[in-house]
C-alpha cells in the first residue's frame, strides 16, 4: 500500500483538444468573439485551422456540449455546418422540454460539470454533499446577471479545472451556435460554475459557418434571418481565497474556535511496534480491512509499500491506516461505499478516527521504529508480542540477517520484544500490549511470557490488565460487541479516569487474526482509549522559560516534489511552478490555506557543509546510521573530519500554503495535534544585482532542499513586530535521570532522536548534578552506646552514596554535526549508541532538552 501521504507526481492536466491536430506550418486566422469581445491569444498556434476536433473522451476534464440552453432550441431552415436541417446533429441528451424542468436540467448540467472538475483533481473526494444550485424560478427568462462565485465546494481545491467546448457535437463536429444562443449558454455555464465556487474564462471563439431560420414578427409576418455560427472554448477554474493580511493570519491562528472547513472529528494516533514476525501488519490488515487472515499473510498484502517487503514478509517502512468509529459502528474497508479515506471521514463524522502507524520490527530498521515512537509522538503505543515463539534466535530467512555483526542478529524474538517494551516504559508513553497468534501459542510458554511482561510493568508502578474476549470468534465484524465494550470500560477506562493518569493501566489482549479471537476487544479498546487534550505551545515549558515560541509548529516527516495545479498557479503571485508537499503532524497552533509561513533551517551552502566529510563515507545525518556495523571506523574518521553545525548558518525560507489535507481529506484548516499534508509555494529569491560597495558577502542560501526533521512555523505576532526569527540549534544540553548515561565518553558519536530530527551528535561532556538531600541526623559519641560508631558511619556513608547515585541528575552537553536543527526546549530526546550483534539498537537513554545553543 502506498503511503497515505503519497501524491501523484504527474497529476491530470487540462489540455485543449484544439492543439492536438494543429498544423504548425499554417498561420491561424485571427478571430473575434461577437459575444464577449476580443479573445486573449495564448500563443501563436492557439487557433489552428481545424475542421473538427477529436471525439469527446469518456473520461477526463473535457466536455463537448452542443449547447447549454435551458429552453428548446429553435428550428433552422439551413445550417452550413450540417448535412441535414432542423438540428439533425443534436446532442445525445435532448434539450429541455415540458417533461424536464429548467431547474432539473440545470441540476443535471451542474452535476456533470462537477464530475469533469473532479477528473482533473488527483485523489479527488467523492463529495457526497448536496450541491448548492443557484435559485432559478420558472418565470425568469435568462441568467444574464453576473453571479459571484460561492464558497468552493470541498474536494475541488486541487482541481486543474475543466474545459467546455460549446457548439461541438460529441463526435467533434463543429455545429455552432448563434450569438444569442452562445450568450445564453455562457450565462448558464457561469451560473453553474458560480454555484460550485468556480469562474469561467473564455479561451477562444471561432466562426464555423452560418445558418438561416424563419422568425415570426409582431405583425404575424414571416421573416427569414441569417446569422453566423460560433463555437467557443471555456475554461472553468476553482476560485481559491489565498489572500489575507498578516494580522488577520495571526488572529486566526490564535483563535480557539475551529473553522468550518476544518475536521473536528476526534483523532487518536497509535503506533504499532514489536519484533519482526510478531504479526503487527497482519493485525492491522485485519482491523482495517475487516477480513481475517488465511494464516499466510493475506490480510497484510495491501499494506506493504515495497516489493522486498512482500518477498521477505518484513516491514521496512512506516505504513499508515485509518479506522473510523461512530457509536458502536466500525467504519473500515469492509463497509459498503467506503473505498478511500475521505469516505471514512464522512461516515465517522462526530465520532472518532484512529490513525494507526505500522513500524518495522527487524533490528535492521530500528530507525523506522524510533521514528514511529518518537518522531510521530503517538498518543498510545501498541506493542505486539507473538504467543507462538520461544526464546530461541529467530531464523535467518532474510538476506539481511546473514550480515556479519548486524545489530540484533543474535537476539531471540522475545529479547527483541522486551527491548521494545523497555524503550516504551522509558519513554513514558501510554501503552497497550497485544498478544498475537494466540491460536498457535502453548500455554506454558505463554505463561512464561506473561510473567516477564507483568514483572517489567509492575516494576515501574503500572498495573497490567489481562483481558480476554467473551464474544465468539468474529469473521465479519461491523460493530463493536457490547460485552467487549463494557469490559474495556470496566477494566481500563474507569481505572484511568479515577487515577487521572493514562500511564497507570497497561491493558493486555490475546488476539488471533486467523480465528478472530480478540478482534472485537481490540476494536473496543481503540474506540475507547482516552485522547489527550489539544496540545499547546506551553506543554513542555512555561512561557517564562521559552517566550519566543511561534504561533504554530508543524513537524516535517516526508517531502514530495509536485508542481502547481492550473488553479493554484492562477491564484498565486509567484512565477515558480514548483509546489512541494510536506507531510507530518501539527505540534500546536493552526494552519490555513493562504497563511504565510517559514520553513527551515536550511544550510547556507549544501556543498560547503559536506566538504569536510570523507567522500567514501556517507554523512551520519542523512545516510549511514551510527548503529551500523561499520560505525566504529566511521566514528574514528568523523571525529577528525566532521564539520560542527555551529560553523553553518541556519536560514529560514518564507512560503505560502496553497493546499492542506487532513489525513487525505481536503480541508481549509488543520488543527493542533492533527496529522496531514501541506502544499507550499516558496517566495522567489531576490535576483537583484549584488551591492558592490559592501565587502561582506552574504552566505548563499540553498534552494528548496526540504528534508525530514525540518519544521514549518507561523511566526508569532511578537516575532513579527520585533523582527526576530526562529532559533536554529547547533548544540544543546539534555538532562538524564539515569546513572547509565555515565558510560558515554567525551568526543564519542551517538545518534540523537528528538521530534522528527535524527542527527549525529558529539558528546562534549557528562556532568553530574548533586541532589539537595534532606537534613541528616548526625550521631555523637554519647549515642554510641556499644562502641560501634565507626562501623555504623561507614555503612551509612555507603548507603547514602548509593541513594545519591540513584537520585542524581546528569547533564549531557551535545554538539550537532553537519547541520543545524530546530529543537524545542523541553522536548524528549533519545540517545542511541552503536549497535552490536547482541543488542537490538533500541537500548537508548531517554532525557529532556533543557538548554539550546546557537
Amino acid at each position: 500500500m502506498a503511503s497515505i501521504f503519497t501524491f501523484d507526481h504527474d497529476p491530470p492536466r487540462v489540455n485543449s483538444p484544439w492543439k492536438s491536430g494543429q498544423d504548425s506550418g499554417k498561420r491561424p486566422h485571427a478571430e473575434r468573439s461577437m459575444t464577449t469581445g476580443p479573445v486573449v491569444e495564448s500563443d501563436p498556434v492557439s487557433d489552428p485551422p481545424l475542421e473538427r476536433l477529436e471525439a469527446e473522451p469518456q473520461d477526463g476534464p473535457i466536455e463537448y456540449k452542443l449547447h447549454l440552453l435551458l429552453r428548446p432550441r429553435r428550428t433552422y431552415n439551413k445550417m452550413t455546418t450540417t448535412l441535414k436541417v432542423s438540428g439533425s446533429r443534436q446532442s445525445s441528451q435532448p434539450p429541455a422540454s415540458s417533461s424536464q424542468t429548467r431547474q432539473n436540467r440545470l441540476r443535471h448540467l451542474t452535476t456533470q460539470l462537477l464530475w469533469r472538475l473532479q477528473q482533473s483533481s488527483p485523489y479527488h473526494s467523492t463529495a457526497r454533499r448536496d450541491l448548492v444550485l443557484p435559485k432559478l424560478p420558472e418565470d425568469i427568462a435568462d441568467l444574464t446577471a453576473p453571479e459571484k462565485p460561492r464558497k468552493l465546494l470541498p474536494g475541488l481545491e486541487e482541481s486543474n479545472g475543466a474545459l467546455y467546448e460549446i457548439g461541438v457535437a460529441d463526435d467533434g463536429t463543429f455545429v455552432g451556435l448563434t450569438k444569442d444562443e452562445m450568450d445564453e449558454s455562457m450565462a448558464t455555464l457561469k451560473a453553474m460554475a458560480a454555484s460550485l465556487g468556480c469562474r469561467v474564462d473564455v479561451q477562444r471563439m471561432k466562426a464555423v459557418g452560418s445558418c438561416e431560420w424563419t422568425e415570426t414578427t409582431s405583425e404575424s409576418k414571416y421573416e427569414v434571418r441569417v446569422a453566423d455560427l460560433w463555437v467557443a472554448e471555456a475554461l472553468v477554474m476553482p476560485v481559491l481565497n489565498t489572500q489575507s493580511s498578516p494580522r488577520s493570519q495571526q488572529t486566526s491562528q490564535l483563535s480557539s474556535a475551529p473553522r468550518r472547513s476544518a475536521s473536528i472529528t476526534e483523532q487518536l494516533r497509535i503506533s504499532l511496534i514489536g519484533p519482526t514476525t510478531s504479526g503487527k501488519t497482519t493485525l492491522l490488515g485485519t482491523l482495517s480491512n475487516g477480513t481475517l487472515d488465511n494464516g499466510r499473510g493475506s490480510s497484510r498484502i495491501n499494506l506493504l509499500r515495497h516489493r522486498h517487503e512482500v518477498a521477505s514478509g518484513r516491514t521496512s517502512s512506516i505504513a499508515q491506516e485509518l479506522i473510523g468509529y461512530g457509536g458502536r459502528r466500525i467504519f473500515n474497508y469492509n463497509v459498503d461505499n467506503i473505498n478511500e479515506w475521505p469516505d471514512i471521514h464522512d461516515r465517522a463524522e462526530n465520532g472518532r478516527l484512529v490513525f494507526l502507524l505500522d513500524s518495522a520490527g527487524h533490528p535492521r530498521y530500528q530507525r523506522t521504529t524510533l521514528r514511529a515512537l518518537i518522531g510521530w509522538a503517538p498518543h498510545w503505543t501498541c506493542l505486539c508480542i507473538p504467543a507462538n515463539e520461544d526464546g530461541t534466535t529467530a531464523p535467518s530467512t532474510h538476506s539481511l540477517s546473514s550480515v556479519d555483526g548486524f545489530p540484533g542478529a543474535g537476539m531471540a524474538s522475545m529479547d527483541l520484544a522486551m527491548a521494545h517494551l523497555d524503550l516504551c516504559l522509558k519513554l513514558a508513553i501510554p501503552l497497550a500490549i497485544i498478544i498475537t497468534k494466540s491460536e498457535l501459542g502453548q500455554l506454558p510458554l505463554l505463561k512464561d511470557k506473561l510473567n516477564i511482561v507483568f514483572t517489567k510493568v509492575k516494576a515501574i508502578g503500572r498495573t497490567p490488565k489481562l483481558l480476554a474476549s467473551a464474544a465468539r470468534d468474529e469473521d465479519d465484524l461491523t460493530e463493536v460487541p457490547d460485552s467487549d465494550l463494557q469490559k474495556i470500560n470496566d477494566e481500563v477506562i474507569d481505572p484511568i479516569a479515577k487515577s487521572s493518569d493514562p500511564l497507570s493501566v497497561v491493558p493486555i489482549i490475546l488476539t488471533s487474526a486467523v480465528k478472530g479471537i480478540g478482534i472485537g476487544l481490540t476494536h473496543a479498546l481503540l474506540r475507547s482509549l482516552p485522547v489527550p487534550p489539544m496540545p499547546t505551545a506551553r506543554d513542555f515549558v512555561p512561557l517564562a522559560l521559552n517566550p519566543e515560541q511561534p504561533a504554530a509548529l508543524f513537524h516535517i516527516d516526508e517531502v514530495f516534489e509536485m508542481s502547481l495545479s492550473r488553479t493554484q498557479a492562477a491564484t498565486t503571485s509567484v512565477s515558480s511552478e514548483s509546489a512541494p508537499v510536506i507531510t507530518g503532524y501539527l505540534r500546536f497552533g493552526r494552519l490555513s490555506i493562504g497563511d504565510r509561513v517559514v520553513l527551515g533551517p536550511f544550510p547556507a551552502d549544501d556543498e560547503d557543509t559536506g566538504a569536510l566529510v570523507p567522500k567514501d563515507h556517507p554523512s551520519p545525518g542523512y545516510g549511514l546510521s551510527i548503529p551500523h556495523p561499520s560505525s566504529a571506523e566511521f566514528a574514528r574518521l568523523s571525529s577528525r573530519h566532521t564539520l560542527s553545525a555551529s560553523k553553518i548558518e541556519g536560514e529560514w525560507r518564507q512560503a505560502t500554503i496553497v493546499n492542506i489535507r487532513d489525513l487525505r481529506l481536503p480541508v481549509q484548516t488543520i488543527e493542533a495535534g492533527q496529522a496531514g499534508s501541506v502544499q507550499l509555494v516558496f517566495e522567489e529569491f531576490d535576483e537583484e544585482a549584488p551591492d558592490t560597495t559592501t565587502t561582506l558577502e552574504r552566505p548563499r542560501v540553498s534552494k528548496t532542499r526540504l528534508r525530514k526533521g525540518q519544521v514549518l512555523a507561523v511566526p508569532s505576532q511578537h516575532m513579527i513586530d520585533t523582527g526576530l526569527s526562529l532559533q536554529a540549534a547547533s548544540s544543546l544540553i539534555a538532562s538524564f535521570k539515569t546513572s547509565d548515561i555515565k558510560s558515554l565518553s567525551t568526543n564519542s558519536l551517538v545518534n540523537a532522536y528528538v521530534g522528527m530530527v535524527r542527527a549525529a551528535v558529539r558528546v562534549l561532556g557528562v556532568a553530574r548534578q548533586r541532589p539537595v538531600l534532606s537534613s541528616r541526623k548526625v550521631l555523637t559519641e554519647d549515642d554510641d552506646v556499644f562502641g560501634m560508631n565507626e562501623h555504623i558511619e561507614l555503612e551509612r556513608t555507603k548507603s547514602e552514596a548509593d541513594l545519591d547515585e540513584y537520585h542524581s541528575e546528569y547533564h549531557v552537553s551535545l554538539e550537532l554535526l553537519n547541520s543545524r536543527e530546530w529543537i524545542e526546549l523541553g522536548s524528549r530526546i533519545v540517545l542511541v549508541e552503536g549497535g552490536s550483534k547482541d543488542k537490538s539498537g533500541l537500548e537508548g537513554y531517554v532525557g529532556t532538552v533543557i538548554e539550546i545553543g546557537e
Side-chain angles (χ1 to χ4, degrees):
M1 184 199 76
S3 167
I4 64 162
F5 302 120
T6 300
F7 284 78
D8 189 357
H9 293 273
D10 187 19
R13 308 296 292 183
V14 183
N15 297 319
S16 174
W18 288 75
K19 298 181 180 181
S20 59
Q22 65 188 26
D23 185 356
S24 59
K26 297 181 180 180
R27 184 176 182 85
H29 300 286
E31 299 289 346
R32 184 179 180 86
S33 169
M34 298 174 59
T35 59
T36 60
V39 178
V40 179
E41 294 193 15
S42 56
D43 53 71
V45 292
S46 60
D47 289 332
L50 299 177
E51 297 298 330
R52 59 182 299 166
L53 301 177
E54 295 181 355
E56 179 189 42
Q58 295 298 321
D59 298 323
I62 301 177
E63 177 71 21
Y64 292 0
K65 300 301 293 185
L66 187 59
H67 63 83
L68 293 172
L69 303 177
L70 300 180
R71 59 173 175 81
R73 195 180 183 190
R74 67 168 63 94
T75 301
Y76 294 97
N77 301 330
K78 182 173 64 174
M79 298 177 65
T80 60
T81 55
T82 59
L83 298 178
K84 298 180 181 180
V85 297
S86 190
S88 62
R89 290 187 180 268
Q90 298 291 327
S91 172
S92 60
Q93 298 176 353
S97 61
S98 58
S99 61
Q100 184 180 22
T101 64
R102 294 160 55 90
Q103 191 69 28
N104 289 339
R105 174 163 168 79
L106 184 61
R107 177 179 292 273
H108 170 76
L109 293 174
T110 306
T111 305
Q112 191 176 51
L113 172 60
L114 173 62
W115 188 82
R116 290 295 185 183
L117 288 169
Q118 290 175 339
Q119 288 294 296
S120 65
S121 176
Y123 304 106
H124 62 265
S125 174
T126 52
R128 292 193 181 91
R129 301 170 179 81
D130 294 334
L131 297 182
V132 181
L133 297 178
K135 296 181 180 180
L136 184 64
E138 294 295 332
D139 56 350
I140 294 182
D142 56 58
L143 294 173
T144 55
E147 184 165 350
K148 183 179 179 180
R150 298 175 182 265
K151 185 177 180 179
L152 185 64
L153 189 73
L156 296 181
E157 291 85 356
E158 301 171 26
S159 174
N160 286 281
L163 275 176
Y164 265 62
E165 308 295 337
I166 304 176
V168 181
D170 292 342
D171 60 358
T173 302
F174 293 146
V175 178
L177 298 175
T178 59
K179 178 183 179 301
D180 60 326
E181 291 175 336
M182 184 62 73
D183 287 340
E184 288 187 39
S185 295
M186 283 294 179
T188 303
L189 182 60
K190 291 179 180 179
M192 294 158 45
S195 68
L196 301 178
C198 303
R199 72 174 191 273
V200 177
D201 295 331
V202 179
Q203 301 296 299
R204 54 174 51 85
M205 192 82 70
K206 182 180 179 68
V208 294
S210 60
C211 64
E212 178 183 301
W213 74 95
T214 303
E215 188 174 284
T216 304
T217 63
S218 58
E219 300 176 356
S220 299
K221 296 182 179 179
Y222 294 98
E223 182 177 347
V224 177
R225 298 186 179 274
V226 179
D228 293 332
L229 292 174
W230 294 81
V231 295
E233 182 181 68
L235 176 63
V236 182
M237 297 285 290
V239 177
L240 298 177
N241 297 322
T242 60
Q243 304 298 328
S244 59
S245 63
R247 184 166 299 275
S248 64
Q249 294 173 19
Q250 301 304 323
T251 302
S252 64
Q253 294 296 330
L254 299 176
S255 175
S256 59
R259 300 185 182 182
R260 290 183 57 189
S261 297
S263 174
I264 59 175
T265 305
E266 181 182 74
Q267 293 186 12
L268 181 68
R269 190 163 59 249
I270 296 179
S271 289
L272 288 176
I273 65 169
T276 185
T277 70
S278 63
K280 303 182 299 297
T281 309
T282 301
L283 175 65
L284 180 56
T286 299
L287 294 173
S288 60
N289 295 324
T291 57
L292 298 181
D293 188 66
N294 62 356
R296 297 183 296 274
S298 61
S299 63
R300 71 183 179 191
I301 293 298
N302 293 331
L303 275 71
L304 300 178
R305 299 177 60 183
H306 304 290
R307 184 172 299 177
H308 70 84
E309 293 179 334
V310 178
S312 66
R314 287 181 174 143
T315 304
S316 64
S317 59
I318 295 180
Q320 302 96 353
E321 269 301 343
L322 187 68
I323 303 175
Y325 297 95
R328 293 179 50 240
R329 291 281 298 171
I330 303 172
F331 300 116
N332 53 20
Y333 295 119
N334 192 37
V335 179
D336 293 338
N337 298 324
I338 290 184
N339 300 311
E340 53 187 10
W341 286 26
D343 299 331
I344 298 178
H345 279 272
D346 292 341
R347 302 291 286 275
E349 191 172 4
N350 299 323
R352 165 177 287 195
L353 295 172
V354 178
F355 176 41
L356 296 122
L357 301 104
D358 177 30
S359 64
H362 197 278
R364 169 74 175 181
Y365 310 110
Q366 54 92 5
R367 290 182 300 178
T368 304
T369 303
L370 293 171
R371 178 177 152 210
L373 274 175
I374 304 169
W376 275 100
H379 302 145
W380 281 78
T381 298
C382 289
L383 172 61
C384 296
I385 301 176
N388 65 324
E389 296 183 3
D390 54 18
T392 59
T393 304
S396 300
T397 56
H398 193 275
S399 59
L400 294 173
S401 301
S402 61
V403 179
D404 293 335
F406 186 78
M411 296 191 67
S413 176
M414 188 59 185
D415 294 334
L416 288 174
M418 293 303 100
H420 284 81
L421 177 59
D422 290 338
L423 181 59
C424 290
L425 297 178
K426 290 179 184 178
L427 290 172
I429 302 175
L431 177 66
I433 298 177
I434 309 294
I435 306 297
T436 60
K437 307 179 183 180
S438 61
E439 81 282 1
L440 301 178
Q442 299 178 0
L443 186 58
L445 178 61
L446 183 58
K447 286 184 177 180
D448 292 340
K449 289 188 174 185
L450 290 177
N451 285 335
I452 298 174
V453 172
F454 273 55
T455 301
K456 286 182 174 291
V457 172
K458 290 180 178 180
I460 62 170
R462 300 194 193 183
T463 304
K465 292 281 187 178
L466 182 61
L467 306 174
S469 177
R472 64 180 179 84
D473 298 350
E474 296 287 350
D475 57 358
D476 187 19
L477 200 63
T478 58
E479 290 187 352
V480 180
D482 284 330
S483 58
D484 292 340
L485 198 59
Q486 187 64 40
K487 182 182 290 291
I488 292 295
N489 288 331
D490 295 340
E491 300 291 336
V492 180
I493 305 304
D494 290 344
I496 290 178
K498 291 179 181 179
S499 63
S500 301
D501 183 10
L503 301 177
S504 60
V505 178
V506 179
I508 303 175
I509 301 177
L510 299 177
T511 65
S512 170
V514 176
K515 299 294 185 180
I517 301 173
I519 299 302
L521 196 61
T522 305
H523 276 297
L525 183 69
L526 300 180
R527 172 65 184 87
S528 305
L529 286 177
V531 179
M534 180 176 292
T536 67
R538 311 305 175 191
D539 291 339
F540 293 164
V541 293
L543 176 63
L545 297 180
N546 192 17
E548 294 303 333
Q549 279 281 66
L553 182 70
F554 186 91
H555 285 286
I556 299 177
D557 176 62
E558 291 184 278
V559 179
F560 299 90
E561 290 296 332
M562 287 191 65
S563 59
L564 278 173
S565 68
R566 196 165 184 173
T567 303
Q568 294 164 343
T571 55
T572 55
S573 58
V574 298
S575 58
S576 174
E577 294 185 358
S578 176
V581 174
I582 59 174
T583 68
Y585 72 96
L586 188 59
R587 161 75 178 85
F588 57 81
R590 173 183 293 164
L591 296 178
S592 300
I593 294 178
D595 286 348
R596 293 191 62 189
V597 297
V598 295
L599 289 94
F602 292 94
D605 194 326
D606 288 343
E607 297 178 356
D608 292 342
T609 57
L612 299 181
V613 179
K615 294 183 179 180
D616 56 339
H617 291 276
S619 167
Y622 301 101
L624 188 62
S625 175
I626 295 298
H628 195 273
S630 62
S631 61
E633 176 67 14
F634 177 70
R636 182 180 64 83
L637 294 173
S638 297
S639 63
R640 296 181 298 172
H641 297 284
T642 305
L643 183 64
S644 171
S646 61
K647 307 294 184 182
I648 306 169
E649 290 293 335
E651 296 288 346
W652 299 90
R653 294 287 310 277
Q654 293 186 347
T656 302
I657 297 177
V658 296
N659 188 18
I660 297 178
R661 293 182 186 176
D662 182 357
L663 297 179
R664 278 192 182 177
L665 179 69
V667 293
Q668 294 288 121
T669 300
I670 186 172
E671 301 289 344
Q674 295 180 344
S677 53
V678 178
Q679 190 174 20
L680 307 158
V681 175
F682 283 94
E683 293 187 0
E684 297 294 333
F685 286 105
D686 188 3
E687 301 295 344
E688 295 180 359
D691 187 3
T692 58
T693 61
T694 178
T695 58
L696 296 177
E697 181 180 358
R698 183 178 183 273
R700 181 174 64 87
V701 180
S702 63
K703 293 297 182 180
T704 55
R705 184 181 178 271
L706 286 169
R707 57 177 173 83
K708 65 177 60 179
Q710 292 178 319
V711 295
L712 176 151
V714 176
S716 63
Q717 189 61 47
H718 176 69
M719 298 174 68
I720 294 177
D721 295 339
T722 58
L724 297 176
S725 63
L726 274 71
Q727 179 183 11
S730 62
S731 63
L732 60 95
I733 298 178
S735 172
F736 297 85
K737 296 183 178 181
T738 173
S739 59
D740 296 337
I741 197 70
K742 294 188 300 181
S743 61
L744 294 180
S745 59
T746 304
N747 289 328
S748 62
L749 297 183
V750 295
N751 271 341
Y753 294 83
V754 51
M756 286 290 186
V757 174
R758 182 186 69 85
V761 298
R762 178 185 287 113
V763 179
L764 300 180
V766 179
R768 176 183 173 185
Q769 307 296 313
R770 295 186 180 274
V772 179
L773 298 180
S774 59
S775 59
R776 306 175 183 140
K777 179 181 179 181
V778 180
L779 294 176
T780 64
E781 292 184 359
D782 295 336
D783 297 326
D784 188 12
V785 179
F786 299 100
M788 299 177 62
N789 191 351
E790 183 178 355
H791 176 71
I792 294 176
E793 181 66 23
L794 291 175
E795 290 296 330
R796 183 174 62 84
T797 303
K798 182 179 179 180
S799 176
E800 289 176 355
D802 294 340
L803 188 62
D804 288 352
E805 186 78 12
Y806 180 77
H807 290 287
S808 292
E809 180 180 351
Y810 294 85
H811 290 181
V812 181
S813 299
L814 303 169
E815 179 187 31
L816 277 71
L817 305 178
N818 298 317
S819 64
R820 291 176 178 261
E821 304 289 353
W822 194 91
I823 297 176
E824 187 175 359
L825 191 65
S827 56
R828 184 187 293 113
I829 183 173
V830 178
L831 301 182
V832 180
E833 293 184 279
S836 66
K837 184 178 180 180
D838 297 327
K839 291 185 177 181
S840 65
L842 301 176
E843 295 82 5
Y845 307 101
V846 180
T848 304
V849 178
I850 61 174
E851 186 176 332
I852 301 295
E854 294 186 357

